Amino acid sequence: MKILVIGSGGREHALVWKLAQSKLATKLYCAPGNPGIAQLAECVPIAPTDIPKLADFVQLQCIGLTVVGPEAPLCAGIADYFKARRLRIFGPSQAGAQLEGSKVFSKKFFLKHGVPTGRAEIFTDANAARACVRKWGAPVVVKADGLAAGKGVIVAQTVAEAEQAIADIMEKKVFGAAGDQLIVEECLVGEEASVMALTDGKCFRILAAAQDHKRIGDNDTGPNTGGMGAYSPTPALDKVPPEQIRNIFERTLAGLQTDGIDYRGVLYAGIMLTKDHGPMLLEYNCRFGDPETQVVLPRMDFDLAEACRATADGKLGEMTLAWKPEAAVCVVLASGGYPGDYAKGKVISVLDDAAKLPGVTVFHAGTKAGADGAIVTDGGRVLGVTALGDGIAGAVARAYEAVARIHFDGMQYRRDIAGRALRKR
Ligand code: AMP
Ligand code: GLY
């Protein structure tokens, strides 16, 4: 079976890397891919949102499975379009992708179907929203409805900060139409875990849990990023009864069925482990997490292509998913200045040497082929250095050993990836 992966980041490199190990895979393509992916798959220059062109390519090459990485094509309806053309695709319908695409849709969905989540009110009027935050007091969370490049959630420590967020979102329209509606939400306190599950709309299979590090600086300081590293498993979940996590997915799946929403793909739950109320759902993403994928996939002891095909075909019930006992850790190497402005085109050195360490894989995120066969930086998050090891401590040691062999101008990374987990153990 030929397989196409859509996307070009570290998550997609991990997907291609794992799918390449499948006994089902005869040839891999990636649109548009990156230089790391190009070592494993044929990269085709089609944009992830050019849906008709992707479908034409799939039809022409007789590709048997398409796996979607990013949310944009899912929110634009790629799964519905492929289904209409009878092309097999792993990813939810446009209606299902609203669980990520619209925070108002998803919040209403959680409340309607009894999914444990924070108290919230929805507003289309800035004055009414301001009155609400004054009544509730701080800390309080303000969320723009639509996709806002990860910047649409403001955890306000003061009422003034919350009012500023409301003005920015609704009156200044800093996120455009994504701010036509907003949510004022109770601020939940606890540790966050990323729990992904595959679902074919009939049943679900929960994947090994992960945690990511969102802030740029050590000890969770500085601005938010797309994710500076991740690890799996997550000691923070050790004491949480598994049925409390299952309950979140059970209610979600039942809700999808009740509402007649076709969902065949990944449900990625951002869960706050609260002291008083147990696990509470913060949000869903309709895709694999980045960089969580880079640590969850290396731990899979099953054929990912088989699982994705079963998910797309509504046959996930036939699959059992097994996991490797080793832990995985991913350290993201980012460009100097990220998440603010940063330079591109810096030459990356000693990549291959690092990847030859046992258990280590270097996933490309923001890279490009430069002159004379060099690989150069081409994004904020450049590489995801991932290691499998004996426990979290073993994986951390290996990952940083590999990091020490990689260099580019301005390279920055966190020194404390998985530190939270090590302290706990
Ligand atoms: P989201 O885009 O919904 O994932 O939110 C981004 C981040 O904001 C989450 O990962 C949390 O760290 C934080 N967050 C979202 N909702 C809440 C909440 N109700 N209470 C506290 N923090 C939150
Ligand atoms: N790691 C956060 C995300 O994928 O959205």
Side-chain angles (χ1 to χ4, degrees):
M1 179 171 71
K2 294 181 179 178
I3 303 173
L4 168 69
V5 173
I6 295 174
S8 62
R11 165 184 54 208
E12 287 75 21
H13 191 178
L15 284 166
V16 166
W17 171 84
K18 184 65 189 170
L19 290 166
Q21 297 164 26
S22 165
K23 61 182 191 306
L24 295 175
T26 52
K27 177 159 174 101
L28 280 156
Y29 298 91
C30 189
N34 66 37
I37 292 172
Q39 294 170 8
L40 302 164
E42 184 178 329
C43 292
V44 286
I46 308 176
T49 45
D50 195 345
I51 295 172
K53 205 164 166 193
L54 289 165
D56 289 345
F57 180 76
V58 164
Q59 212 149 25
L60 188 72
Q61 300 295 337
C62 299
I63 289 168
L65 171 68
T66 299
V67 178
V68 185
E71 65 278 10
L74 295 166
C75 292
I78 191 171
D80 309 82
Y81 187 86
F82 270 50
K83 199 174 161 196
R85 287 181 58 172
R86 300 183 164 276
L87 305 171
R88 186 191 281 124
I89 188 160
F90 175 90
S93 63
Q94 189 170 30
Q98 286 183 89
L99 280 181
E100 173 164 0
S102 165
K103 292 201 189 296
V104 167
F105 172 89
S106 57
K107 198 68 185 186
K108 284 183 178 162
F109 180 96
F110 305 158
L111 296 172
K112 174 178 169 195
H113 298 293
V115 183
T117 191
R119 182 168 68 119
E121 282 189 37
I122 294 157
F123 296 97
T124 50
D125 174 71
N127 285 330
R130 272 190 280 265
C132 177
V133 299
R134 279 184 214 131
K135 194 169 98 196
W136 286 16
V140 67
V141 182
V142 178
K143 299 183 172 184
D145 174 40
L147 293 176
K151 298 203 169 84
V153 176
I154 295 91
V155 182
Q157 297 304 329
T158 63
V159 170
E161 204 185 323
E163 289 192 29
Q164 183 64 49
I166 292 166
D168 288 345
I169 292 170
M170 265 194 168
E171 290 166 348
K172 292 192 198 136
K173 293 277 183 199
V174 294
F175 306 121
D180 290 348
Q181 298 188 83
L182 64 72
I183 297 177
V184 174
E185 189 171 311
E186 150 191 25
C187 186
L188 300 169
V189 179
E191 221 175 302
E192 272 180 74
S194 304
V195 186
M196 298 186 273
L198 303 181
T199 180
D200 63 354
K202 298 177 193 156
C203 69
F204 62 88
R205 294 282 184 269
I206 296 178
L207 306 182
Q211 274 182 295
D212 74 350
H213 297 261
K214 289 195 200 312
R215 305 294 193 110
I216 186 77
D218 286 357
N219 301 314
D220 296 324
T221 52
N224 262 322
T225 70
M228 291 301 291
Y231 56 95
S232 173
T234 58
L237 274 169
D238 286 353
K239 284 191 216 109
V240 178
E243 60 272 17
Q244 291 185 357
I245 301 292
R246 289 195 67 81
N247 176 50
I248 290 175
F249 289 104
E250 265 157 20
R251 288 176 185 258
T252 302
L253 181 58
L256 290 168
Q257 289 166 346
T258 303
D259 292 352
I261 295 173
D262 188 16
Y263 203 110
R264 299 161 193 236
V266 191
L267 272 170
Y268 157 177
I271 296 175
M272 188 73 91
L273 306 172
T274 71
K275 219 185 239 159
D276 299 334
H277 305 288
M280 305 277 269
L281 186 60
L282 292 175
E283 58 148 4
Y284 270 125
N285 293 311
C286 62
R287 49 161 177 89
F288 284 104
D290 190 346
E292 288 90 333
T293 301
Q294 290 87 311
V295 291
V296 172
L297 269 52
R299 298 190 61 222
M300 288 178 169
D301 210 0
F302 58 89
D303 188 324
L304 180 61
E306 203 182 336
C308 290
R309 185 176 68 176
T311 301
D313 289 347
K315 292 180 178 166
L316 186 60
E318 296 168 12
M319 293 280 308
T320 23
L321 311 185
W323 297 92
K324 294 180 184 166
E326 290 102 323
V329 167
C330 171
V331 179
V332 170
L333 306 184
S335 295
Y338 175 79
D341 293 339
Y342 53 84
K344 292 183 181 178
K346 305 290 180 194
V347 174
I348 303 168
S349 58
V350 244
L351 215 53
D352 283 336
D353 190 18
K356 278 181 199 130
L357 289 168
V360 171
T361 312
V362 179
F363 294 119
H364 289 220
T367 66
K368 197 172 84 170
D372 307 326
I375 305 283
V376 301
T377 66
D378 195 44
R381 292 187 292 171
V382 177
L383 298 169
V385 180
T386 304
L388 272 178
D390 197 5
I392 301 266
V396 165
R398 275 187 176 169
Y400 281 105
E401 194 187 337
V403 166
R405 299 186 184 191
I406 301 173
H407 176 78
F408 53 86
D409 252 12
M411 178 172 115
Q412 56 164 340
Y413 60 92
R414 280 182 61 161
R415 267 74 175 170
D416 66 341
I417 299 302
R420 247 177 348 215
L422 292 173
R423 282 195 294 278
K424 219 159 242 132
R425 287 266 156 95

